[in-house]
Amino acid sequence: MNFSKTTGYSLTILTYMVNHSGENVSADFLHSKLGIPYQYLRQILTKLSKTGFIVSSRGRKGGFELTRDVSTIYIADIIGAIEGLEGFNTCILGFQECPFNNKCSIHNILDEPRANILKILKQTSLEDLIIK
Amino acid sequence: MNFSKTTGYSLTILTYMVNHSGENVSADFLHSKLGIPYQYLRQILTKLSKTGFIVSSRGRKGGFELTRDVSTIYIADIIGAIEGLEGFNTCILGFQECPFNNKCSIHNILDEPRANILKILKQTSLEDLIIK
DNA sequence: ATTAAATGCTATAAGGAGGTATCATTTATG
DNA sequence: CATAAATGATACCTCCTTATAGCATTTAAT
Ligand code: SF4
Ligand code: SF4
């Protein structure tokens, strides 16, 4: 029912970075701060780098940095890049082809609250997560 | 983000049965009606039987039947028996121990809508799913 | 009695998610 | 220049979910 652990890690990393804006942080540093398994963290940072949410610099003093305007990075974008947003658009019960023409009882009661969550995720940017 | 496929299958089976109340249906029949892989369907029916949502009868003309009062079987009960409801009570981001004292930004924006979904699932019984 | 139709039970396999380990490459510092 | 500190890339392992297969047992129909 919740997000994948990888998505959780990704969000934690990015929300940490947006609250420590401007700092160039290394994987080792983030590991010590966030407790995410080091090697796995490395993979996620690479992915976040390849998907353009952060930029990396190699070598000594290297690390990762947020560069894009954080008011334009929405939570839904991040989730979309990591685990995809298909879960919000496809059958809640996991069917490839809906046997009930999108009108089964479960659909009726859960479609709206699920859409509501997606709406929130699309409206909330990293900037909104800055602790003031 | 959504439920496990097994949970989806379970809900589909039970909502089918409640809408065809009184009928004793076989795994083969349900397979032809719902398209759930036969052997997997068998396992799920056994589980639903062991968890008391349905009762089985063996031999020719055997099959499965709803016997409990369907107004007392809530969707949340079914989900709880199949995949558990932990997902609704634990960290949305997948952490075992919350590093942020239950107050990170994601928690703030998603806790309430998630609780709302659980509330709906706890209030909706199989009887409510009967097509009138 | 025999057969057909059904569930009970259990072993196995494929696939993805989460996690670990290692080597290669880049770059700042002494 | 040599070293240390960092990322890039890749291979591997484990566990869980989903799915498949087969044998054993029960029961109704013939
Ligand atoms: S109607 Fe039911 S089965 Fe069909 S897509 Fe919606 S939740 Fe899935
Ligand atoms: S505050 Fe954040 S990290 Fe902590 S339990 Fe809530 S969602 Fe998880």
Side-chain angles (χ1 to χ4, degrees):
Chain A
M1 189 58 195
N2 294 331
F3 298 112
S4 74
K5 233 168 166 180
T6 307
T7 298
Y9 288 155
S10 302
L11 292 171
T12 311
I13 293 164
L14 293 175
T15 54
Y16 179 89
M17 289 177 82
V18 77
N19 277 299
H20 296 75
S21 187
E23 295 177 25
N24 182 303
V25 294
S26 70
D28 191 63
F29 178 78
L30 284 172
H31 169 65
S32 70
K33 282 288 180 186
L34 303 175
I36 301 168
Y38 179 71
Q39 295 294 349
Y40 200 42
L41 171 66
R42 292 278 310 280
Q43 289 181 8
I44 295 169
L45 286 166
T46 299
K47 187 160 191 179
L48 290 175
S49 184
K50 285 188 172 170
T51 46
F53 293 105
I54 55 181
V55 286
S56 68
S57 51
R58 299 183 70 174
R60 197 164 183 159
K61 289 268 174 186
F64 301 89
E65 225 174 332
L66 273 169
T67 54
R68 284 173 54 189
D69 179 355
V70 293
S71 72
T72 68
I73 301 179
Y74 293 90
I75 307 298
D77 298 337
I78 301 162
I79 296 170
I82 301 300
E83 67 173 60
L85 292 172
E86 297 77 23
F88 287 95
N89 303 318
T90 51
C91 172
I92 301 172
L93 302 182
F95 287 100
Q96 297 286 333
E97 294 264 320
C98 171
F100 308 117
N101 197 31
N102 286 7
K103 286 191 172 59
C104 85
S105 317
I106 308 294
H107 197 120
N108 291 344
I109 60 174
L110 288 187
D111 197 40
E112 190 205 314
R114 184 177 66 157
N116 183 43
I117 288 184
L118 181 58
K119 191 178 159 201
I120 292 172
L121 296 172
K122 281 186 172 170
Q123 288 173 344
T124 308
S125 75
L126 276 186
E127 188 177 45
D128 297 324
L129 303 189
I130 295 174
I131 299 167
K132 289 155 198 164
Chain B
M1 190 59 199
N2 294 331
F3 298 112
S4 76
K5 231 167 166 181
T6 307
T7 299
Y9 288 154
S10 302
L11 292 172
T12 310
I13 292 163
L14 293 175
T15 55
Y16 180 89
M17 288 177 82
V18 77
N19 277 299
H20 296 74
S21 188
E23 296 177 27
N24 183 303
V25 294
S26 69
D28 192 63
F29 178 78
L30 285 171
H31 168 65
S32 72
K33 282 288 180 187
L34 303 175
I36 300 169
Y38 178 72
Q39 294 295 350
Y40 199 40
L41 172 66
R42 292 277 311 278
Q43 289 181 8
I44 294 169
L45 286 167
T46 297
K47 188 161 192 179
L48 291 174
S49 183
K50 285 189 171 169
T51 47
F53 293 105
I54 56 181
V55 287
S56 68
S57 51
R58 299 181 72 174
R60 196 165 183 160
K61 288 269 175 183
F64 301 89
E65 227 174 330
L66 273 169
T67 54
R68 284 175 52 190
D69 179 356
V70 294
S71 72
T72 68
I73 302 179
Y74 295 90
I75 308 298
D77 298 338
I78 302 163
I79 297 170
I82 302 300
E83 68 173 57
L85 292 172
E86 297 77 22
F88 286 95
N89 303 318
T90 51
C91 172
I92 301 172
L93 302 183
F95 287 101
Q96 296 286 334
E97 294 264 319
C98 171
F100 308 117
N101 197 31
N102 287 7
K103 286 191 173 57
C104 85
S105 317
I106 308 293
H107 197 121
N108 291 344
I109 60 174
L110 288 188
D111 197 41
E112 191 205 313
R114 183 178 67 159
N116 182 44
I117 287 184
L118 180 57
K119 192 178 158 201
I120 291 172
L121 296 172
K122 281 185 171 169
Q123 288 173 345
T124 309
S125 75
L126 276 186
E127 187 176 46
D128 298 323
L129 303 190
I130 295 174
I131 299 166
K132 289 155 196 163

